[in-house]
Amino acid sequence: MRTPNIAHTLAEEVQFLLDGYTATDGPKLSRKHTRDAQRITSPQDLQPRLVHIHRQAHSMQLHLTALKDQAAALGLTSLAEQLETTNATMRGLMGDVAEAAVTTTSKP
């Protein structure tokens, strides 16, 4: 499902949109990722996938930083703080995924 470029004024509308993406995309993505995972036959097969996930997480972390900075510039302090908390979580995720990728090597 394509993300629209419109903003909603009501929190309920945003939540409805998010729930819709989860309901629509979730099963399809779950099947796709399950099929991909079932092709894995060794720890080394996991490594490229984990590196890819790390790169995606890094991109999201950079995107969150840019959005946080812009929220701060707009005077949206509470939103900027919330985005910084989310950013910290993303950095933790990146560290965990990097650690998992390293464990797929024969000599960590």
Side-chain angles (χ1 to χ4, degrees):
M1 183 179 268
R2 191 176 151 110
T3 305
N5 289 328
I6 60 169
H8 298 276
T9 56
L10 300 174
E12 294 83 14
E13 292 174 334
V14 176
Q15 190 60 56
F16 182 75
L17 180 68
L18 295 170
D19 291 345
Y21 284 129
T22 301
T24 302
D25 295 345
K28 178 176 61 174
L29 289 171
S30 179
R31 287 189 301 274
K32 176 185 181 282
H33 295 314
T34 297
R35 281 192 308 269
D36 183 54
Q38 289 170 341
R39 292 186 197 108
I40 294 169
T41 60
S42 73
Q44 288 77 23
D45 291 341
L46 288 162
Q47 189 180 101
R49 290 155 175 92
L50 291 167
V51 169
H52 178 71
I53 290 169
H54 185 273
R55 288 186 71 206
Q56 288 179 316
H58 186 232
S59 176
M60 290 186 340
Q61 187 266 327
L62 294 171
H63 197 173
L64 285 165
T65 297
L67 293 173
K68 175 200 61 126
D69 291 347
Q70 186 59 24
L74 293 171
L76 304 170
T77 306
S78 179
L79 177 58
E81 290 171 355
Q82 186 176 17
L83 290 171
E84 180 51 38
T85 299
T86 305
N87 214 346
T89 300
M90 186 59 65
R91 287 189 298 272
L93 171 69
M94 287 173 56
D96 291 345
V97 172
E99 186 177 328
V102 168
T103 64
T104 64
T105 63
S106 57
K107 297 180 182 180

